[in-house]
Amino acid sequence: RIPAGSPPPAPNPVAAIPLRRFGRRFALALGLGVAGVLLLAYAVAGLLLLGTGLWGTNIPFVWGFDLINYVWWIGIANAASLFAAILVLRRHGLRTAVNRFAEAAALAAVAAAALYPILHLGRPWLFHWVLPYPATFEVWPQFRSTLVWDLWGILSHVVVTSLFWYTGLIPDLATMRDRAALRGRMLAARLYGLAALGWRGSVVHWARHQAAYRLVAALVLPMLVSAQTIVALEFASTLVPDWHQGRVPLHVVVTGLPAGLGVVLVLAILLRGTLGLQHLIDDADMRLLGQLTAAAALASLWLYGDELLAAWLEEDATRQASAARILGPYAPLWWGGVALTAVLPQLLWSARVRRSAAAGILIGLGAAAGVWLDRFALVAGGLLHDHLPRVGPAYAPSGQEWTLLLGTVGVFATALLLFARTLPVVSMFETRHEEDRSEGA
């Protein structure tokens, strides 16, 4: 309640952001994102018309950008979702600043990753063959196929991540509904009201919302472990010696954390600077986010050391395969991944580096790029040394594969830009809780 005679409270800038006019910089960024989506459409059209022969894959490099980029996007989505879920379950104050756009980044990354299992089928219009539907000719899915694993892994990821993101949005959607109605924007008010599911902010609504939010956050944790483990088991199902190790699932999970946290760090810096959210994403939040990214990089550095030790202790075939990946033609990619993923983020322990927006963006993007290099070395470098004699040149991605990668980046960027344009980028109900708690203290 507002005491008599006191001035009315200032409007919440988070709620005002989606209802205001955005400038030319947003139009330019959205134009670049849409251009990326058009590149994706061009790459998919070429694939449907001419087939996967457009890609640079060949024996023994039967996997290329299709699996590399799939594992990379899944790692970003997993790290962002894991980070947001842990903050919700622990009720940490950092969730107020970063949870909303971290969940949005996870959902956009899942959407980008979901394209690859379908596209690398060769005949993607028959993707429904992996579904366990009643078939007249009893052509059932082969449940030992990694394509079926991909289906259930991606499907569970999309469902749980969407529920996690949407459940947290419901109270804020009701606020956007009310603000749009006050401004006379009735179409926007109806759309926000439809998405808010009749939210009125009653005690019963809040109790059910908080219980559902924590329940979905708890579901995120086993889902992430299972989804990333499914990806790692795809490697173990082959005959490649270097992939038959129990450390591969842990390696994929842990080394993906710097990529996801790096993307969240970049988004925090950009939203903080462009939308004027310094009072909501403050210096303490940025300090903690930078230190978490550096700590995840330290864990990745430990995993890289464990990989070298395991390769030295393994049998001859595995040792030779690991040596071919670390010291062979793809060695620069592996060492570049180590430098960008595990070493570069250590600069974030420095307060001077954390205060620099440009440095934070470069380190965050560098960590994501380093994980991509690691996935390239893992896939292409692993296939470099197998049980079959190698014929032909080493794997090199074609222009069509690069176009497909840029297209998924465009999908990711466009989804986040539209999210920032239409929905609150910071949780308003969490912000109000933090303000009430600080006033009570």
Side-chain angles (χ1 to χ4, degrees), residues 70-127:
Y70 168 60
V71 180
W72 180 60
W73 281 118
I74 282 292
I76 292 176
N78 282 352
S81 294
L82 178 64
F83 174 58
I86 291 176
L87 292 180
V88 170
L89 292 175
R90 290 185 56 86
R91 300 186 179 182
H92 196 282
L94 184 60
R95 74 185 188 278
T96 303
V98 304
N99 252 42
R100 179 61 50 76
F101 59 83
E103 296 165 10
L107 188 58
V110 170
L115 296 172
Y116 285 99
I118 297 177
L119 294 178
H120 80 212
L121 290 174
R123 292 185 291 174
W125 55 88
L126 300 178
F127 73 95

Coordinates of all heavy atoms in Angstrom, one line a residue, residues 70-127:
Y70 N 25.1 -30.2 -33.6 CA 24.1 -30.7 -32.7 C 24.5 -30.8 -31.3 O 23.9 -30.3 -30.3 CB 23.6 -32.0 -33.2 CG 22.7 -32.8 -32.3 CD1 21.5 -32.3 -31.9 CD2 23.1 -34.1 -31.9 CE1 20.7 -33.1 -31.0 CE2 22.3 -34.8 -31.0 CZ 21.1 -34.3 -30.6 OH 20.3 -35.0 -29.8
V71 N 25.7 -31.4 -31.0 CA 26.2 -31.5 -29.7 C 26.6 -30.2 -29.1 O 26.4 -29.9 -27.9 CB 27.5 -32.5 -29.7 CG1 28.1 -32.6 -28.3 CG2 27.1 -33.8 -30.3
W72 N 27.0 -29.3 -29.9 CA 27.4 -27.9 -29.4 C 26.2 -27.2 -29.0 O 26.2 -26.6 -27.9 CB 28.1 -27.2 -30.6 CG 28.5 -25.8 -30.2 CD1 29.4 -25.4 -29.2 CD2 28.1 -24.6 -30.8 NE1 29.6 -24.1 -29.2 CE2 28.8 -23.5 -30.1 CE3 27.3 -24.3 -31.9 CZ2 28.6 -22.2 -30.5 CZ3 27.1 -23.0 -32.2 CH2 27.8 -21.9 -31.6
W73 N 25.1 -27.1 -29.8 CA 23.9 -26.4 -29.4 C 23.3 -27.1 -28.1 O 22.8 -26.4 -27.2 CB 22.9 -26.4 -30.5 CG 23.2 -25.4 -31.6 CD1 23.4 -25.6 -32.9 CD2 23.2 -24.0 -31.4 NE1 23.6 -24.4 -33.6 CE2 23.5 -23.4 -32.7 CE3 23.0 -23.1 -30.3 CZ2 23.5 -22.0 -32.9 CZ3 23.1 -21.7 -30.5 CH2 23.4 -21.2 -31.8
I74 N 23.3 -28.4 -28.1 CA 22.7 -29.1 -26.9 C 23.5 -28.7 -25.6 O 23.0 -28.5 -24.6 CB 22.7 -30.6 -27.1 CG1 21.5 -31.0 -28.0 CG2 22.6 -31.3 -25.8 CD1 20.2 -30.8 -27.4
G75 N 24.8 -28.6 -25.8 CA 25.6 -28.2 -24.6 C 25.3 -26.8 -24.1 O 25.2 -26.6 -22.9
I76 N 25.1 -25.9 -25.0 CA 24.7 -24.5 -24.6 C 23.4 -24.5 -23.9 O 23.2 -23.9 -22.9 CB 24.7 -23.6 -25.9 CG1 26.1 -23.4 -26.4 CG2 24.1 -22.2 -25.5 CD1 26.2 -22.6 -27.7
A77 N 22.4 -25.2 -24.5 CA 21.1 -25.3 -23.9 C 21.1 -26.0 -22.5 O 20.5 -25.5 -21.6 CB 20.1 -26.1 -24.8
N78 N 21.9 -27.0 -22.4 CA 22.0 -27.7 -21.1 C 22.6 -26.8 -20.0 O 22.1 -26.8 -18.9 CB 22.8 -29.0 -21.2 CG 22.0 -30.1 -21.9 OD1 20.8 -30.0 -22.1 ND2 22.7 -31.2 -22.2
A79 N 23.7 -26.2 -20.4 CA 24.3 -25.3 -19.4 C 23.5 -24.2 -18.9 O 23.4 -23.9 -17.7 CB 25.7 -24.8 -20.0
A80 N 22.8 -23.5 -19.9 CA 21.9 -22.4 -19.5 C 20.7 -22.9 -18.7 O 20.3 -22.3 -17.7 CB 21.4 -21.7 -20.8
S81 N 20.1 -24.0 -19.0 CA 19.0 -24.6 -18.3 C 19.4 -25.0 -16.9 O 18.7 -24.8 -15.9 CB 18.4 -25.7 -19.0 OG 17.8 -25.3 -20.2
L82 N 20.6 -25.7 -16.8 CA 21.1 -26.1 -15.5 C 21.4 -25.0 -14.6 O 21.0 -25.0 -13.4 CB 22.4 -26.9 -15.7 CG 23.1 -27.5 -14.5 CD1 22.2 -28.5 -13.7 CD2 24.4 -28.1 -14.8
F83 N 22.0 -23.9 -15.1 CA 22.3 -22.7 -14.3 C 21.0 -22.1 -13.8 O 20.9 -21.8 -12.6 CB 23.0 -21.7 -15.2 CG 23.3 -20.4 -14.6 CD1 24.0 -20.3 -13.4 CD2 22.8 -19.2 -15.2 CE1 24.2 -19.0 -12.9 CE2 23.1 -18.0 -14.7 CZ 23.8 -17.9 -13.5
A84 N 20.0 -21.9 -14.6 CA 18.7 -21.3 -14.2 C 18.0 -22.2 -13.2 O 17.4 -21.7 -12.2 CB 17.8 -21.1 -15.4
A85 N 18.0 -23.5 -13.4 CA 17.3 -24.4 -12.5 C 17.9 -24.5 -11.1 O 17.2 -24.5 -10.1 CB 17.2 -25.9 -13.1
I86 N 19.2 -24.5 -11.1 CA 19.9 -24.5 -9.8 C 19.6 -23.2 -9.0 O 19.3 -23.2 -7.8 CB 21.4 -24.7 -9.9 CG1 21.6 -26.1 -10.4 CG2 22.1 -24.4 -8.6 CD1 23.1 -26.4 -10.7
L87 N 19.6 -22.1 -9.7 CA 19.2 -20.8 -9.0 C 17.8 -20.8 -8.5 O 17.6 -20.3 -7.4 CB 19.4 -19.6 -10.0 CG 20.9 -19.3 -10.5 CD1 20.9 -18.2 -11.4 CD2 21.8 -19.0 -9.3
V88 N 16.9 -21.4 -9.2 CA 15.5 -21.4 -8.7 C 15.4 -22.4 -7.5 O 14.8 -22.0 -6.5 CB 14.6 -21.9 -9.9 CG1 13.2 -22.2 -9.3 CG2 14.5 -20.8 -10.9
L89 N 16.0 -23.5 -7.6 CA 15.9 -24.5 -6.5 C 16.6 -24.0 -5.2 O 16.1 -24.2 -4.1 CB 16.5 -25.8 -6.9 CG 15.8 -26.6 -8.0 CD1 16.5 -27.8 -8.5 CD2 14.3 -27.0 -7.6
R90 N 17.7 -23.3 -5.4 CA 18.4 -22.7 -4.2 C 17.8 -21.4 -3.8 O 18.3 -20.8 -2.8 CB 19.9 -22.6 -4.5 CG 20.6 -23.9 -4.6 CD 22.1 -23.7 -4.8 NE 22.7 -22.9 -3.7 CZ 23.1 -23.4 -2.5 NH1 22.9 -24.6 -2.3 NH2 23.6 -22.5 -1.6
R91 N 16.9 -20.8 -4.6 CA 16.4 -19.5 -4.4 C 17.4 -18.4 -4.2 O 17.4 -17.6 -3.3 CB 15.5 -19.5 -3.1 CG 14.3 -20.5 -3.3 CD 13.3 -20.4 -2.1 NE 12.2 -21.3 -2.3 CZ 11.2 -21.4 -1.4 NH1 11.2 -20.7 -0.3 NH2 10.2 -22.3 -1.6
H92 N 18.4 -18.5 -5.0 CA 19.5 -17.6 -5.0 C 19.1 -16.2 -5.6 O 18.3 -16.2 -6.5 CB 20.7 -18.1 -5.8 CG 22.0 -17.5 -5.5 ND1 22.4 -16.3 -6.0 CD2 23.1 -17.8 -4.7 CE1 23.6 -15.9 -5.6 NE2 24.0 -16.8 -4.8
G93 N 19.7 -15.2 -5.1 CA 19.3 -13.8 -5.5 C 19.7 -13.6 -7.0 O 19.1 -12.7 -7.6
L94 N 20.7 -14.3 -7.5 CA 21.1 -14.1 -8.9 C 20.0 -14.4 -9.9 O 20.0 -13.9 -11.0 CB 22.4 -14.9 -9.2 CG 23.0 -14.7 -10.6 CD1 23.4 -13.2 -10.8 CD2 24.2 -15.6 -10.7
R95 N 19.0 -15.3 -9.5 CA 18.0 -15.7 -10.4 C 17.1 -14.5 -10.8 O 16.6 -14.5 -11.9 CB 17.1 -16.7 -9.7 CG 16.1 -16.2 -8.7 CD 15.4 -17.3 -8.0 NE 14.3 -16.8 -7.1 CZ 14.5 -16.3 -5.9 NH1 15.8 -16.4 -5.4 NH2 13.5 -15.9 -5.1
T96 N 17.0 -13.5 -10.0 CA 16.2 -12.3 -10.3 C 16.8 -11.6 -11.6 O 16.0 -11.1 -12.4 CB 16.2 -11.3 -9.1 OG1 15.7 -12.0 -8.0 CG2 15.3 -10.1 -9.4
A97 N 18.1 -11.6 -11.7 CA 18.7 -10.8 -12.8 C 18.8 -11.6 -14.1 O 18.6 -11.1 -15.2 CB 20.1 -10.4 -12.3
V98 N 19.1 -12.9 -14.0 CA 19.5 -13.6 -15.2 C 18.6 -14.8 -15.6 O 18.7 -15.3 -16.7 CB 21.0 -14.1 -15.1 CG1 21.9 -13.0 -14.7 CG2 21.1 -15.2 -14.0
N99 N 17.7 -15.2 -14.7 CA 17.0 -16.5 -15.0 C 16.2 -16.4 -16.3 O 16.1 -17.3 -17.1 CB 16.1 -16.8 -13.8 CG 16.6 -18.1 -13.1 OD1 17.8 -18.2 -12.9 ND2 15.7 -19.0 -12.8
R100 N 15.5 -15.2 -16.5 CA 14.5 -15.1 -17.6 C 15.2 -15.3 -18.9 O 14.8 -16.1 -19.8 CB 13.8 -13.8 -17.5 CG 12.8 -13.6 -18.6 CD 11.7 -14.6 -18.6 NE 11.1 -14.8 -17.3 CZ 10.2 -13.9 -16.7 NH1 9.9 -12.8 -17.3 NH2 9.7 -14.2 -15.5
F101 N 16.3 -14.5 -19.2 CA 16.9 -14.6 -20.5 C 17.8 -15.9 -20.6 O 18.1 -16.3 -21.7 CB 17.7 -13.4 -20.9 CG 18.8 -12.9 -19.9 CD1 20.0 -13.5 -20.0 CD2 18.5 -12.0 -18.9 CE1 21.0 -13.1 -19.1 CE2 19.5 -11.5 -18.1 CZ 20.8 -12.1 -18.2
A102 N 18.3 -16.4 -19.4 CA 19.0 -17.7 -19.5 C 18.1 -18.8 -20.0 O 18.5 -19.7 -20.8 CB 19.6 -18.0 -18.1
E103 N 16.8 -18.8 -19.4 CA 15.9 -19.8 -19.9 C 15.5 -19.6 -21.4 O 15.4 -20.6 -22.1 CB 14.6 -19.7 -19.0 CG 14.8 -20.1 -17.6 CD 13.7 -19.6 -16.7 OE1 12.6 -19.2 -17.3 OE2 13.8 -19.7 -15.5
A104 N 15.4 -18.4 -21.8 CA 15.1 -18.1 -23.2 C 16.2 -18.6 -24.1 O 16.0 -19.1 -25.2 CB 14.8 -16.6 -23.4
A105 N 17.5 -18.3 -23.7 CA 18.6 -18.8 -24.4 C 18.7 -20.3 -24.6 O 19.0 -20.9 -25.6 CB 19.9 -18.3 -23.8
A106 N 18.3 -21.0 -23.5 CA 18.3 -22.5 -23.5 C 17.2 -22.9 -24.5 O 17.5 -23.9 -25.3 CB 18.0 -23.0 -22.1
L107 N 16.1 -22.3 -24.5 CA 15.0 -22.7 -25.4 C 15.4 -22.5 -26.9 O 15.1 -23.3 -27.7 CB 13.7 -22.0 -25.0 CG 12.4 -22.5 -25.8 CD1 12.2 -23.9 -25.5 CD2 11.2 -21.6 -25.3
A108 N 16.0 -21.3 -27.1 CA 16.4 -21.0 -28.5 C 17.5 -22.0 -29.0 O 17.5 -22.4 -30.1 CB 16.9 -19.6 -28.6
A109 N 18.4 -22.3 -28.1 CA 19.5 -23.3 -28.4 C 18.9 -24.7 -28.7 O 19.4 -25.4 -29.6 CB 20.5 -23.4 -27.3
V110 N 17.9 -25.1 -27.9 CA 17.3 -26.4 -28.2 C 16.6 -26.4 -29.6 O 16.7 -27.4 -30.3 CB 16.2 -26.7 -27.1 CG1 15.4 -27.9 -27.5 CG2 16.9 -27.0 -25.8
A111 N 16.0 -25.3 -29.9 CA 15.3 -25.2 -31.2 C 16.3 -25.3 -32.3 O 16.1 -25.9 -33.4 CB 14.5 -23.9 -31.3
A112 N 17.5 -24.7 -32.2 CA 18.6 -24.8 -33.2 C 19.1 -26.2 -33.2 O 19.4 -26.7 -34.3 CB 19.7 -23.8 -32.9
A113 N 19.3 -26.8 -32.1 CA 19.8 -28.2 -32.1 C 18.9 -29.2 -32.7 O 19.3 -30.2 -33.3 CB 20.2 -28.6 -30.6
A114 N 17.6 -29.0 -32.5 CA 16.6 -29.9 -32.9 C 16.5 -30.1 -34.4 O 16.0 -31.1 -35.0 CB 15.2 -29.5 -32.4
L115 N 17.1 -29.1 -35.2 CA 17.1 -29.2 -36.6 C 18.0 -30.3 -37.1 O 17.7 -30.9 -38.1 CB 17.5 -27.8 -37.2 CG 16.5 -26.7 -37.0 CD1 17.2 -25.4 -37.5 CD2 15.2 -26.9 -37.7
Y116 N 19.1 -30.5 -36.5 CA 20.2 -31.3 -37.0 C 19.8 -32.8 -37.1 O 20.1 -33.5 -38.1 CB 21.5 -31.1 -36.3 CG 22.2 -29.8 -36.7 CD1 22.0 -28.7 -35.9 CD2 22.9 -29.7 -37.8 CE1 22.6 -27.5 -36.3 CE2 23.5 -28.6 -38.2 CZ 23.4 -27.4 -37.4 OH 24.0 -26.3 -37.8
P117 N 19.2 -33.4 -36.0 CA 18.9 -34.8 -36.1 C 17.9 -35.1 -37.3 O 17.9 -36.2 -37.8 CB 18.2 -35.2 -34.7 CG 18.8 -34.2 -33.8 CD 19.0 -32.9 -34.6
I118 N 17.0 -34.2 -37.6 CA 16.1 -34.4 -38.7 C 16.8 -34.2 -40.0 O 16.6 -35.0 -40.9 CB 14.9 -33.4 -38.6 CG1 14.1 -33.6 -37.3 CG2 14.0 -33.5 -39.8 CD1 13.0 -32.7 -37.1
L119 N 17.7 -33.2 -40.1 CA 18.3 -32.9 -41.4 C 19.3 -33.9 -41.8 O 19.5 -34.2 -43.0 CB 19.0 -31.5 -41.4 CG 18.0 -30.3 -41.2 CD1 18.8 -29.0 -41.2 CD2 17.0 -30.3 -42.4
H120 N 20.0 -34.5 -40.8 CA 21.0 -35.5 -41.2 C 20.5 -36.9 -41.5 O 21.2 -37.8 -41.7 CB 22.2 -35.6 -40.2 CG 21.9 -36.4 -39.0 ND1 22.5 -36.0 -37.8 CD2 21.2 -37.5 -38.7 CE1 22.1 -36.9 -36.9 NE2 21.3 -37.8 -37.4
L121 N 19.1 -37.0 -41.5 CA 18.5 -38.3 -41.9 C 18.7 -38.6 -43.4 O 18.7 -39.7 -43.8 CB 17.0 -38.2 -41.6 CG 16.6 -38.3 -40.2 CD1 15.1 -38.1 -40.1 CD2 17.0 -39.6 -39.5
G122 N 19.0 -37.5 -44.2 CA 19.1 -37.7 -45.6 C 17.7 -37.6 -46.3 O 17.6 -36.9 -47.3
R123 N 16.7 -38.2 -45.7 CA 15.3 -38.0 -46.2 C 14.5 -37.4 -45.0 O 13.7 -38.2 -44.4 CB 14.7 -39.3 -46.7 CG 15.4 -39.8 -48.0 CD 14.7 -41.0 -48.5 NE 14.9 -42.2 -47.7 CZ 14.4 -43.4 -47.9 NH1 13.5 -43.5 -48.9 NH2 14.7 -44.4 -47.1
P124 N 14.7 -36.2 -44.7 CA 14.1 -35.6 -43.4 C 12.6 -35.7 -43.4 O 12.0 -35.6 -42.4 CB 14.6 -34.2 -43.3 CG 15.0 -33.9 -44.7 CD 15.5 -35.2 -45.4
W125 N 11.9 -35.7 -44.6 CA 10.5 -35.8 -44.6 C 9.9 -37.1 -44.1 O 8.7 -37.2 -43.8 CB 9.9 -35.5 -46.0 CG 10.5 -36.5 -47.0 CD1 10.0 -37.7 -47.4 CD2 11.7 -36.3 -47.8 NE1 10.8 -38.3 -48.3 CE2 11.8 -37.4 -48.6 CE3 12.6 -35.3 -47.9 CZ2 12.9 -37.6 -49.5 CZ3 13.7 -35.4 -48.8 CH2 13.8 -36.6 -49.6
L126 N 10.8 -38.1 -43.8 CA 10.4 -39.3 -43.3 C 10.8 -39.5 -41.8 O 10.9 -40.6 -41.3 CB 11.0 -40.5 -44.1 CG 10.6 -40.6 -45.5 CD1 11.3 -41.7 -46.2 CD2 9.1 -40.7 -45.7
F127 N 10.9 -38.3 -41.1 CA 11.4 -38.3 -39.8 C 10.4 -39.1 -38.9 O 10.8 -39.6 -37.8 CB 11.6 -36.9 -39.2 CG 10.3 -36.2 -39.0 CD1 9.8 -36.1 -37.7 CD2 9.7 -35.5 -40.0 CE1 8.6 -35.4 -37.5 CE2 8.5 -34.8 -39.8 CZ 7.9 -34.8 -38.5

